Amino acid sequence: MPALIIAQDAVVPTGPEFGKASPIGLVVILVLMASMVFLLRSMNKHLRRLPETFEPENPEPDQEADEGTDRGGIQSGQGS
């Protein structure tokens, strides 16, 4: 008996409303598309404001090459 139930075809839903999308789906898609357009415009505006390079304009002669690195309070020349 269980093999007979497994072998049966699956019931395919049919009827006048099957496969139709609701108008709410269209509204959701339109809202997502509009938000994507605004996000892309904002991102492009911010990217245009970025400088060509992030190198300092007038580097000091004693400035280290990697000035953004924090050595964690360890001074050079001292070891443990």
Side-chain angles (χ1 to χ4, degrees), residues 12-47:
V12 179
T14 56
E17 296 298 319
F18 176 72
K20 292 184 180 178
S22 68
I24 295 174
L26 177 64
V27 171
V28 168
I29 290 174
L30 291 176
V31 167
L32 288 173
M33 289 176 65
S35 63
M36 185 181 69
V37 167
F38 285 118
L39 285 172
L40 287 173
R41 287 179 58 195
S42 174
M43 181 185 65
N44 283 332
K45 184 170 57 171
H46 280 57
L47 286 175

Side-chain angles (χ1 to χ4, degrees), residues 36-80:
M36 185 181 69
V37 167
F38 285 118
L39 285 172
L40 287 173
R41 287 179 58 195
S42 174
M43 181 185 65
N44 283 332
K45 184 170 57 171
H46 280 57
L47 286 175
R48 281 191 207 112
R49 292 181 185 174
L50 287 176
E52 290 281 330
T53 180
F54 289 101
E55 297 294 324
E57 293 178 13
N58 299 316
E60 300 295 324
D62 60 345
Q63 183 180 22
E64 291 185 25
D66 191 10
E67 68 178 6
T69 314
D70 185 16
R71 296 186 52 92
I74 300 173
Q75 295 178 358
S76 61
Q78 293 180 351
S80 44

